[in-house]
Amino acid sequence: MTKPVLAIVGRPNVGKSTIFNRIAGDRISIVEDMPGVTRDRIYSSAEWLNTEFNLIDTGGIEISDAPFMSQMKEQAELAIEEADVILFLVDGMNGITAADEEVAKMLFRSKKPVVLGVNKIDNPERKELLYEFYSLGMGEPIGVSGTHGIGLGDLLDQVVSHFPETVVEEKEDDTIYFSLIGRPNVGKSSLVNAILGKKRVIVSNIAGTTRDAIDSSFEREDQKYVIIDTAGMRKRGKVYETTEKYSVMRAMKAIERSDVVLMVIDAEEGIIEQDKKVAGFAHEAGKAVVIVVNKWDAVEKDDKTMQKFEQKIRDHFLYLSYAPIVFVSAKTKQRLHQLYPVINQVAENHSLRVQTNILNEVIMDAVAMNPAPMDNGKRLKINYATQVASKPPTFVIFVNDPELFHFSYKRFLENRIRETFGFVGTPIKIFARKKND
């Protein structure tokens, strides 16, 4: 199931990041009263009235020769292209500007549903400022205050009403859906072609060649697979993203539809900060993960090279300690055959269910060997545990007081569960709940 996408656009300094943070429920975007602070698109998940959606904050759109303005305009255009609904934000205190009118023209051309939000309507006396904005031709303006949270409910009601109906994808039970993610130019398209054994995806050494998600089905040794690649040539004149600006939203969409995510790293360039950001989306989404080191043929090696590289991955990706690592070469097809058993294993672990009686034996043995420490004279007491979901495996542990279930003890129990049941390649989630007396 792919979540709908809301993009917040507008000229600089109208309060887009403040509204973004309000909707996302966290201070994700940098907020500063200075034009141009938000230079790249920022992404988050959000929810309103049980409707989950993805949210994009953008740099301001302004026709100017000032530093970053042209790049910000390009980033905003790409966000508009990705969005299902657009929140056009203007500043009620400043009235309509030439820049607002330019943004409005761009939005008309997009033919996307637009909700017009007028920010800085902090009290009832300012509501009369709304009338001017009818002239933008974007329908009824909705007054909001990002600073105080006023009017956001009405605004989000309008946004959600324009979302397309969510289509739940029907998957064959035994088919494994997997995607390849990673920053541009690590060889994702080459890997897809090598896996499929044909030129399914356009391959280029220009970062950012791939564009849209396209599925390819294949079968190997009686196992059915669907590979979700962010593939397809960009339209001429629409290559917006540089090497550093990986198309995160498209990766998120592919991740949502996957059972297994292959996180691709360039063996020649090594690990950079962007790799960790991209991999974080798969981990947070609770997907099974395999770390794939591509271009291994191009690395000069001795008997310790692979071991050192693997240790470097473990040091950088502490949160992916469960993910297996496979070294391959799309170019020479070196070790490519090793991918399939690993994908199969992590997919199986991702959907694994543990019998309640066996789970509780493991938990109680762990508690007997290492009781929870005292906390202000109180000790955590575990009554029983049960698995409530798979994909990823999710466990609820019923205790006397969830406040006593500290992170370190949770990690201890997670390690014991992994030692017993494996769960290679998949995150597992553990929650504490108070036992009802």
Side-chain angles (χ1 to χ4, degrees):
M1 186 172 71
T2 302
K3 298 176 189 174
V5 178
L6 171 66
I8 306 175
V9 302
R11 63 178 175 82
N13 213 31
V14 295
K16 295 185 299 299
S17 295
T18 303
I19 294 289
F20 174 92
N21 290 339
R22 281 277 182 185
I23 296 173
D26 200 357
R27 289 182 58 85
I28 297 167
S29 259
I30 298 168
V31 179
E32 188 173 328
D33 190 21
M34 176 180 170
V37 169
T38 309
R39 290 173 182 162
D40 291 328
R41 284 167 295 139
I42 311 240
Y43 303 85
S44 181
S45 294
E47 184 179 342
W48 180 250
L49 300 179
N50 297 320
T51 299
E52 294 184 358
F53 57 96
N54 288 321
L55 184 64
I56 315 177
D57 185 19
T58 65
I61 302 169
E62 189 168 294
I63 310 303
S64 169
D65 294 329
F68 303 109
M69 283 301 176
S70 61
Q71 295 97 319
M72 287 161 61
K73 180 172 178 286
E74 290 173 348
Q75 288 283 292
E77 286 176 340
L78 185 55
I80 289 167
E81 196 174 306
E82 293 175 344
D84 294 299
V85 178
I86 297 153
L87 170 55
F88 177 20
L89 200 65
V90 294
D91 185 333
M93 296 301 293
N94 287 339
I96 296 174
T97 67
D100 291 326
E101 290 172 344
E102 288 294 331
V103 176
K105 289 176 186 176
M106 184 186 302
L107 296 180
F108 275 122
R109 290 194 296 270
S110 76
K111 295 183 170 55
K112 299 284 182 75
V114 177
V115 175
L116 177 60
V118 183
N119 195 22
K120 305 181 185 178
I121 306 300
D122 297 325
N123 56 61
E125 289 74 30
R126 290 186 180 178
K127 283 195 173 181
E128 64 184 32
L129 299 174
L130 295 175
Y131 300 121
E132 176 185 359
F133 293 94
Y134 277 97
S135 65
L136 288 172
M138 292 291 176
E140 182 178 357
I142 300 173
V144 297
S145 169
T147 303
H148 303 292
I150 298 169
L152 279 181
D154 293 338
L155 189 77
L156 288 171
D157 284 345
Q158 279 296 311
V159 165
V160 170
S161 72
H162 290 294
F163 282 152
E165 286 189 30
T166 303
V167 178
V168 178
E169 187 174 7
E170 292 185 11
K171 295 181 177 180
E172 295 183 42
D173 290 340
D174 59 345
T175 300
I176 298 173
Y177 283 68
F178 69 95
S179 59
L180 291 83
I181 66 168
R183 56 189 169 88
N185 218 25
V186 294
K188 298 187 296 294
S189 296
S190 298
L191 271 170
V192 172
N193 290 338
I195 289 169
L196 297 174
K198 56 186 176 182
K199 292 279 182 133
R200 168 65 186 76
V201 178
I202 295 167
V203 178
S204 167
N205 61 2
I206 301 170
T209 300
T210 35
R211 177 68 177 84
D212 300 309
I214 297 176
D215 295 353
S216 297
S217 303
F218 68 100
E219 192 169 329
R220 188 177 189 275
E221 296 181 358
D222 297 325
Q223 173 63 56
K224 294 178 181 177
Y225 302 90
V226 172
I227 185 168
I228 305 166
D229 179 49
T230 50
M233 199 59 157
R234 290 169 183 261
K235 298 172 186 174
R236 187 177 298 277
K238 297 224 172 181
V239 184
Y240 299 132
E241 292 167 315
T242 64
T243 304
E244 294 78 26
K245 293 174 182 173
Y246 178 70
S247 184
V248 179
M249 186 57 68
R250 258 172 241 113
M252 288 172 70
K253 288 178 180 177
I255 288 166
E256 284 171 14
R257 298 181 53 233
S258 301
D259 301 308
V260 180
V261 174
L262 307 188
M263 172 62 204
V264 185
I265 294 173
D266 187 324
E268 285 187 289
E269 290 190 20
I271 301 161
I272 66 170
E273 195 64 29
Q274 188 72 1
D275 291 322
K276 290 187 269 188
K277 290 179 182 177
V278 173
F281 286 112
H283 174 70
E284 288 165 15
K287 302 297 182 177
V289 178
V290 179
I291 298 173
V292 179
V293 183
N294 191 27
K295 307 182 185 179
W296 193 240
D297 61 301
V299 176
E300 289 188 20
K301 295 179 270 292
D302 58 30
D303 60 341
K304 290 187 173 60
T305 306
M306 186 178 289
Q307 183 182 342
K308 288 178 181 176
F309 203 104
E310 185 166 335
Q311 186 57 52
K312 192 179 294 185
I313 289 172
R314 295 303 180 202
D315 292 341
H316 281 279
F317 296 93
L318 293 174
Y319 58 90
L320 290 179
S321 58
Y322 56 82
I325 302 170
V326 183
F327 293 81
V328 303
S329 167
K331 185 177 179 181
T332 67
K333 294 187 170 53
Q334 177 188 9
R335 292 193 178 87
L336 210 60
H337 65 280
Q338 294 182 3
L339 272 179
Y340 301 103
V342 175
I343 291 172
N344 295 347
Q345 180 191 23
V346 301
E348 183 179 342
N349 289 338
H350 193 233
S351 58
L352 183 65
R353 282 192 172 272
V354 176
Q355 289 183 14
T356 301
N357 61 329
I358 299 175
L359 173 66
N360 279 280
E361 284 179 18
V362 171
I363 295 291
M364 295 310 168
D365 284 349
V367 171
M369 290 178 62
N370 183 17
M374 297 289 286
D375 183 355
N376 291 326
K378 296 180 180 179
R379 190 187 298 277
L380 176 75
K381 181 183 177 183
I382 293 177
N383 298 100
Y384 66 97
T386 185
Q387 183 175 354
V388 294
S390 60
K391 294 188 176 183
T394 304
F395 302 92
V396 171
I397 298 180
F398 290 90
V399 300
N400 59 331
D401 184 355
E403 294 293 323
L404 299 173
F405 194 59
H406 295 179
F407 174 80
S408 57
Y409 203 69
K410 175 182 172 182
R411 176 58 57 88
F412 161 69
L413 292 179
E414 178 181 335
N415 289 339
R416 291 307 303 268
I417 289 171
R418 286 191 180 279
E419 286 170 14
T420 306
F421 303 108
F423 288 121
V424 172
T426 181
I428 64 175
K429 295 183 178 180
I430 299 176
F431 300 98
R433 294 285 183 269
K434 183 174 176 61
K435 182 180 182 296
N436 294 325
D437 295 326

